[in-house]
Amino acid sequence: MGRITVRRPVLRLSTTGTRGRRPDTLAVEEPLEIRVAGKPLTITMRTPGHDFDLVAGFLAAEGVIGDARDLATMRYCADTHEQNTLDVVLAPDVPPPDDSMTRAFTTTSACGVCGKSSIEALRADRPYEVAADQVRLAPETLAALPDRLREAQRVFDRTGGLHAAGLFDADGGLLALREDVGRHNAVDKVIGWALRQGRLPLTGTVLMVSGRASFELTQKAMTAGVPVLAAVSAPSSLAVELAEDAGMTLVGFLRGETMNVYAGAERIAL
Protein backbone atom coordinates (compact mmCIF):
# COMPACT_ATOMS: atom_id res chain seq x y z
CA MET A 1 0.00 0.00 0.00
CA GLY A 2 1.30 3.46 -0.91
CA ARG A 3 1.61 6.40 1.42
CA ILE A 4 -1.67 7.82 2.69
CA THR A 5 -0.17 11.02 4.09
CA VAL A 6 2.93 13.12 3.47
CA ARG A 7 4.62 15.91 5.41
CA ARG A 8 5.28 19.20 3.65
CA PRO A 9 6.57 22.59 4.86
CA VAL A 10 3.97 25.37 4.96
CA LEU A 11 4.15 29.10 5.60
CA ARG A 12 1.61 29.96 8.28
CA LEU A 13 0.38 33.56 8.30
CA SER A 14 -1.90 35.50 10.60
CA THR A 15 -3.79 38.75 10.12
CA THR A 16 -2.09 39.92 13.33
CA GLY A 17 1.22 39.94 11.46
CA THR A 18 2.75 36.74 12.81
CA ARG A 19 4.33 34.32 10.37
CA GLY A 20 6.38 31.17 10.51
CA ARG A 21 7.15 27.89 8.77
CA ARG A 22 6.09 24.54 10.05
CA PRO A 23 5.47 21.02 8.66
CA ASP A 24 1.92 20.07 7.75
CA THR A 25 0.37 16.67 7.04
CA LEU A 26 -1.35 16.31 3.69
CA ALA A 27 -3.56 13.57 2.29
CA VAL A 28 -1.93 11.84 -0.67
CA GLU A 29 -3.61 11.98 -4.07
CA GLU A 30 -2.19 9.66 -6.73
CA PRO A 31 -3.47 8.10 -9.95
CA LEU A 32 -4.63 4.52 -10.07
CA GLU A 33 -4.81 2.92 -13.50
CA ILE A 34 -7.40 0.16 -13.69
CA ARG A 35 -6.84 -2.55 -16.27
CA VAL A 36 -9.07 -5.47 -17.16
CA ALA A 37 -7.14 -8.49 -18.48
CA GLY A 38 -4.21 -6.19 -19.18
CA LYS A 39 -6.29 -3.67 -21.15
CA PRO A 40 -6.45 -0.14 -19.70
CA LEU A 41 -9.96 0.81 -18.63
CA THR A 42 -9.63 4.06 -16.70
CA ILE A 43 -7.43 6.15 -14.46
CA THR A 44 -8.85 7.51 -11.23
CA MET A 45 -7.28 9.92 -8.77
CA ARG A 46 -7.45 8.47 -5.28
CA THR A 47 -5.86 8.23 -1.88
CA PRO A 48 -3.83 4.97 -1.78
CA GLY A 49 -5.28 2.31 0.47
CA HIS A 50 -8.07 -0.25 0.01
CA ASP A 51 -7.39 -0.19 -3.74
CA PHE A 52 -8.92 -3.64 -4.25
CA ASP A 53 -12.13 -2.44 -2.59
CA LEU A 54 -12.05 0.69 -4.75
CA VAL A 55 -11.74 -1.24 -8.00
CA ALA A 56 -14.34 -3.83 -7.03
CA GLY A 57 -16.80 -1.12 -6.04
CA PHE A 58 -16.12 0.88 -9.19
CA LEU A 59 -16.74 -2.15 -11.42
CA ALA A 60 -19.90 -3.03 -9.49
CA ALA A 61 -21.29 0.49 -9.79
CA GLU A 62 -20.63 0.41 -13.53
CA GLY A 63 -22.45 -2.91 -13.90
CA VAL A 64 -19.38 -4.86 -14.97
CA ILE A 65 -19.60 -7.27 -12.01
CA GLY A 66 -22.34 -8.26 -9.60
CA ASP A 67 -20.64 -10.23 -6.85
CA ALA A 68 -17.27 -11.52 -5.69
CA ARG A 69 -17.48 -14.61 -7.90
CA ASP A 70 -17.22 -12.35 -10.95
CA LEU A 71 -13.65 -11.49 -9.95
CA ALA A 72 -11.03 -14.13 -10.70
CA THR A 73 -7.97 -12.15 -9.56
CA MET A 74 -6.82 -8.63 -8.79
CA ARG A 75 -3.16 -7.73 -8.60
CA TYR A 76 -0.81 -4.79 -8.86
CA CYS A 77 1.09 -4.82 -12.12
CA ALA A 78 4.71 -5.89 -11.87
CA ASP A 79 5.75 -3.60 -14.76
CA THR A 80 5.20 -0.45 -12.70
CA HIS A 81 7.49 0.97 -10.03
CA GLU A 82 4.72 1.82 -7.57
CA GLN A 83 1.36 0.31 -6.70
CA ASN A 84 -0.54 2.63 -9.02
CA THR A 85 -1.69 0.13 -11.66
CA LEU A 86 -4.10 -2.65 -10.80
CA ASP A 87 -5.09 -5.41 -13.22
CA VAL A 88 -8.36 -7.30 -12.88
CA VAL A 89 -9.09 -10.70 -14.38
CA LEU A 90 -12.80 -11.41 -14.57
CA ALA A 91 -14.35 -14.85 -14.16
CA PRO A 92 -14.60 -16.82 -17.44
CA ASP A 93 -18.37 -16.30 -17.72
CA VAL A 94 -18.24 -12.53 -17.16
CA PRO A 95 -18.11 -10.45 -20.34
CA PRO A 96 -15.41 -7.78 -20.46
CA PRO A 97 -16.32 -4.10 -20.39
CA ASP A 98 -17.59 -2.82 -23.71
CA ASP A 99 -15.08 -0.82 -25.73
CA SER A 100 -17.37 2.20 -25.57
CA MET A 101 -16.98 2.20 -21.79
CA THR A 102 -13.21 2.42 -22.10
CA ARG A 103 -13.44 5.44 -24.37
CA ALA A 104 -15.95 7.17 -22.11
CA PHE A 105 -14.07 6.84 -18.83
CA THR A 106 -12.36 10.01 -17.67
CA THR A 107 -12.36 9.84 -13.90
CA THR A 108 -11.08 12.40 -11.41
CA SER A 109 -11.37 12.54 -7.65
CA ALA A 110 -14.48 14.71 -8.13
CA CYS A 111 -16.29 12.72 -10.82
CA GLY A 112 -18.07 9.43 -10.43
CA VAL A 113 -20.36 8.82 -13.39
CA CYS A 114 -18.19 9.70 -16.37
CA GLY A 115 -18.34 6.17 -17.73
CA LYS A 116 -22.07 6.36 -18.37
CA SER A 117 -23.37 7.79 -21.61
CA SER A 118 -26.74 9.03 -20.35
CA ILE A 119 -28.82 9.67 -17.27
CA GLU A 120 -31.38 7.19 -18.62
CA ALA A 121 -28.73 4.46 -18.59
CA LEU A 122 -27.92 5.26 -14.96
CA ARG A 123 -31.54 5.09 -13.93
CA ALA A 124 -31.92 1.77 -15.70
CA ASP A 125 -29.13 0.10 -13.72
CA ARG A 126 -31.10 -1.34 -10.80
CA PRO A 127 -29.92 -4.84 -9.99
CA TYR A 128 -31.80 -4.80 -6.65
CA GLU A 129 -35.32 -3.74 -5.72
CA VAL A 130 -34.46 -1.09 -3.16
CA ALA A 131 -38.08 0.03 -2.86
CA ALA A 132 -39.00 -3.32 -1.29
CA ASP A 133 -36.58 -2.85 1.64
CA GLN A 134 -38.65 -2.62 4.83
CA VAL A 135 -35.99 -1.16 7.12
CA ARG A 136 -37.14 1.58 9.49
CA LEU A 137 -34.93 3.96 11.42
CA ALA A 138 -35.46 6.19 14.42
CA PRO A 139 -34.53 9.84 13.88
CA GLU A 140 -32.23 9.55 16.90
CA THR A 141 -30.31 6.76 15.18
CA LEU A 142 -29.77 8.87 12.08
CA ALA A 143 -28.81 11.94 14.11
CA ALA A 144 -25.98 10.00 15.81
CA LEU A 145 -24.35 8.89 12.55
CA PRO A 146 -22.33 12.03 11.64
CA ASP A 147 -20.50 11.94 14.98
CA ARG A 148 -19.85 8.22 14.65
CA LEU A 149 -18.53 8.75 11.14
CA ARG A 150 -16.29 11.58 12.25
CA GLU A 151 -14.94 9.62 15.22
CA ALA A 152 -13.80 6.84 12.87
CA GLN A 153 -12.00 9.14 10.40
CA ARG A 154 -8.44 8.54 11.53
CA VAL A 155 -6.69 9.99 8.48
CA PHE A 156 -8.95 13.06 8.49
CA ASP A 157 -7.75 13.76 12.02
CA ARG A 158 -4.22 14.15 10.66
CA THR A 159 -4.98 15.99 7.41
CA GLY A 160 -8.44 17.55 7.45
CA GLY A 161 -8.55 16.78 3.73
CA LEU A 162 -10.45 13.55 3.15
CA HIS A 163 -14.03 12.59 2.46
CA ALA A 164 -15.55 9.60 4.22
CA ALA A 165 -18.29 7.06 3.58
CA GLY A 166 -19.57 4.87 6.38
CA LEU A 167 -21.90 1.90 6.19
CA PHE A 168 -24.14 1.42 9.23
CA ASP A 169 -26.75 -1.10 10.24
CA ALA A 170 -30.28 -0.14 11.25
CA ASP A 171 -29.21 0.25 14.89
CA GLY A 172 -26.41 2.67 14.01
CA GLY A 173 -23.58 0.15 14.28
CA LEU A 174 -20.63 0.86 12.00
CA LEU A 175 -20.00 -1.93 9.49
CA ALA A 176 -17.31 -0.32 7.33
CA LEU A 177 -15.68 3.06 6.80
CA ARG A 178 -13.43 4.27 4.02
CA GLU A 179 -11.70 7.62 3.43
CA ASP A 180 -10.48 9.17 0.20
CA VAL A 181 -9.79 12.51 -1.47
CA GLY A 182 -12.72 11.69 -3.76
CA ARG A 183 -16.26 11.36 -2.43
CA HIS A 184 -17.18 8.77 -5.02
CA ASN A 185 -13.97 6.81 -4.31
CA ALA A 186 -14.85 6.55 -0.62
CA VAL A 187 -18.26 5.15 -1.57
CA ASP A 188 -16.74 2.76 -4.12
CA LYS A 189 -14.39 1.47 -1.44
CA VAL A 190 -17.28 0.73 0.91
CA ILE A 191 -19.30 -0.98 -1.82
CA GLY A 192 -16.25 -2.93 -2.96
CA TRP A 193 -15.68 -4.10 0.62
CA ALA A 194 -19.27 -5.30 0.77
CA LEU A 195 -19.02 -7.08 -2.59
CA ARG A 196 -15.80 -8.86 -1.63
CA GLN A 197 -17.40 -9.90 1.67
CA GLY A 198 -20.43 -11.33 -0.14
CA ARG A 199 -22.78 -8.80 1.49
CA LEU A 200 -24.56 -7.41 -1.58
CA PRO A 201 -27.31 -6.34 -1.67
CA LEU A 202 -26.86 -4.07 1.34
CA THR A 203 -30.34 -4.62 2.67
CA GLY A 204 -31.28 -2.79 5.86
CA THR A 205 -28.28 -0.46 5.87
CA VAL A 206 -27.54 3.27 5.86
CA LEU A 207 -24.76 4.79 3.78
CA MET A 208 -23.52 7.97 5.47
CA VAL A 209 -21.33 10.39 3.49
CA SER A 210 -19.35 13.33 4.80
CA GLY A 211 -20.23 15.78 2.01
CA ARG A 212 -23.20 16.38 -0.22
CA ALA A 213 -25.47 13.74 -1.73
CA SER A 214 -24.82 13.98 -5.45
CA PHE A 215 -26.46 12.07 -8.26
CA GLU A 216 -23.50 9.73 -8.69
CA LEU A 217 -23.41 8.79 -5.00
CA THR A 218 -27.14 8.08 -5.06
CA GLN A 219 -26.65 5.91 -8.13
CA LYS A 220 -23.83 3.96 -6.52
CA ALA A 221 -25.87 3.38 -3.35
CA MET A 222 -28.84 2.25 -5.43
CA THR A 223 -26.69 -0.17 -7.43
CA ALA A 224 -25.47 -1.76 -4.19
CA GLY A 225 -28.99 -2.14 -2.80
CA VAL A 226 -28.62 0.51 -0.08
CA PRO A 227 -32.10 1.67 1.06
CA VAL A 228 -31.00 4.81 2.95
CA LEU A 229 -28.44 7.43 1.91
CA ALA A 230 -27.65 10.18 4.42
CA ALA A 231 -25.38 13.20 4.01
CA VAL A 232 -24.25 16.05 6.21
CA SER A 233 -24.79 18.50 3.36
CA ALA A 234 -27.30 19.11 0.57
CA PRO A 235 -28.47 16.74 -2.16
CA SER A 236 -28.74 17.76 -5.78
CA SER A 237 -32.07 17.88 -7.59
CA LEU A 238 -31.13 14.84 -9.70
CA ALA A 239 -30.14 12.91 -6.58
CA VAL A 240 -33.61 13.51 -5.16
CA GLU A 241 -35.29 12.51 -8.42
CA LEU A 242 -33.28 9.29 -8.64
CA ALA A 243 -33.97 8.42 -4.99
CA GLU A 244 -37.70 8.92 -5.56
CA ASP A 245 -37.61 6.82 -8.74
CA ALA A 246 -35.72 4.00 -7.02
CA GLY A 247 -37.68 4.01 -3.77
CA MET A 248 -34.66 5.06 -1.69
CA THR A 249 -34.67 7.20 1.42
CA LEU A 250 -32.51 10.30 0.98
CA VAL A 251 -31.58 12.44 3.99
CA GLY A 252 -29.60 15.67 3.77
CA PHE A 253 -28.34 18.35 6.14
CA LEU A 254 -27.99 15.70 8.84
CA ARG A 255 -26.49 17.85 11.55
CA GLY A 256 -27.12 17.87 15.27
CA GLU A 257 -30.74 17.06 16.01
CA THR A 258 -32.18 18.12 12.65
CA MET A 259 -32.30 16.70 9.14
CA ASN A 260 -34.15 17.09 5.86
CA VAL A 261 -35.81 14.01 4.40
CA TYR A 262 -36.04 14.48 0.64
CA ALA A 263 -37.35 11.04 -0.35
CA GLY A 264 -38.57 7.86 1.31
CA ALA A 265 -39.83 9.43 4.55
CA GLU A 266 -41.86 6.28 5.25
CA ARG A 267 -38.67 4.60 6.51
CA ILE A 268 -38.25 7.16 9.31
CA ALA A 269 -40.09 5.89 12.39
CA LEU A 270 -41.72 9.04 13.78
Coordinates of all heavy atoms in Angstrom, one line a residue, residues 16 133 223:
T16 N -2.7 39.1 12.3 CA -2.1 39.9 13.3 C -0.6 40.2 13.0 O 0.0 41.0 13.7 CB -2.1 39.2 14.7 OG1 -1.4 38.0 14.6 CG2 -3.6 38.9 15.1
D133 N -37.3 -2.7 0.3 CA -36.6 -2.8 1.6 C -37.4 -2.2 2.7 O -37.8 -1.1 2.7 CB -35.2 -2.1 1.6 CG -34.3 -2.5 2.7 OD1 -34.7 -2.5 3.9 OD2 -33.1 -2.8 2.4
T223 N -27.2 1.0 -6.8 CA -26.7 -0.2 -7.4 C -26.3 -1.2 -6.4 O -26.4 -2.4 -6.7 CB -25.5 0.2 -8.3 OG1 -25.9 1.2 -9.3 CG2 -24.9 -1.0 -9.0

